[in-house]
Amino acid sequence: MEHIAKDYISRGATWLFITTLIYFLMNGAQIFETAVIVPKWTASPDESFQLFKGKYGLDFKTFWIVMHSVHEITFIAAIVFCWKLDSIRNWLLILFLIHFAVRVWTLAYFAPNIIEFQKIANVGSNTSDLLSRANLWRALNYVRVGIFIAISLGLIPLCIKIMHLKFE
């Protein structure tokens, strides 16, 4: 590897640490939601959908849009500022592609379904398979959150590696 300036490595380290921190914060919110809130609203649809009902019902849409947007901006910044650090850049790209695939899955499956469940709570529906749909959503959410946690754990060795580069 060619000689790379310490200030370049420092900038890369800063953005890598920021995105790692934000990813762990996001995971904390996901774990809380998955452990505390999801079991409540999936317990007995449509009765348990009451958590979504009315103007004061639960709606995390804005929170998740902001959280993911901030995180993805910092993730891209980490890739940009680590671009000359081949081994870090390559792993960041792999982790980002996995992250992006899970985000696409989220936007294609999880978001539309939770929006429909919220609509059912407020408008009603004659859907008879709500319990099985809610249970599937909950089970797949465990997989999704697990993947997000694995991605964030994958950032830790990169943080260690960039610190070694910084102090060489």
Side-chain angles (χ1 to χ4, degrees):
M1 174 166 72
E2 67 183 68
H3 177 70
I4 297 176
K6 295 291 182 190
D7 63 327
Y8 182 86
I9 295 171
S10 291
R11 271 193 304 275
T14 299
W15 283 103
L16 181 57
F17 288 130
I18 289 170
T19 199
T20 302
L21 175 63
I22 291 175
Y23 219 130
F24 273 92
L25 289 171
M26 184 175 70
N27 284 336
Q30 289 179 91
I31 290 168
F32 173 80
E33 184 177 342
T34 298
V36 176
I37 301 193
V38 172
K40 294 287 186 190
W41 72 258
T42 60
S44 182
D46 68 349
E47 185 180 342
S48 58
F49 285 0
Q50 298 307 305
L51 288 172
F52 301 131
K53 193 168 187 167
K55 74 179 197 177
Y56 299 112
L58 295 177
D59 185 356
F60 299 111
K61 179 175 51 183
T62 303
F63 171 80
W64 286 117
I65 289 170
V66 170
M67 187 62 144
H68 279 288
S69 297
V70 167
H71 175 260
E72 284 154 7
I73 290 166
T74 64
F75 207 140
I76 292 167
I79 292 168
V80 167
F81 286 105
C82 291
W83 194 256
K84 293 180 185 176
L85 309 171
D86 296 345
S87 61
I88 292 174
R89 176 198 63 220
N90 293 342
W91 277 108
L92 279 174
L93 288 170
I94 290 167
L95 292 172
F96 187 78
L97 288 174
I98 296 167
H99 170 85
F100 186 77
V102 178
R103 289 287 289 131
V104 168
W105 184 28
T106 298
L107 295 172
Y109 174 75
F110 291 96
N113 277 285
I114 194 77
I115 290 168
E116 184 179 349
F117 293 148
Q118 290 170 330
K119 182 178 175 186
I120 289 168
N122 287 291
V123 178
S125 174
N126 293 332
T127 308
S128 60
D129 63 341
L130 285 178
L131 181 59
S132 63
R133 288 181 55 211
N135 286 337
L136 177 62
W137 194 100
R138 182 180 61 228
L140 292 175
N141 186 58
Y142 292 143
V143 173
R144 178 178 64 142
V145 171
I147 295 169
F148 279 135
I149 291 169
I151 293 166
S152 65
L153 292 174
L155 292 169
I156 294 171
L158 300 179
C159 290
I160 293 168
K161 188 175 216 167
I162 205 165
M163 289 308 293
H164 285 284
L165 291 173
K166 186 175 175 178
F167 293 111
E168 281 184 349

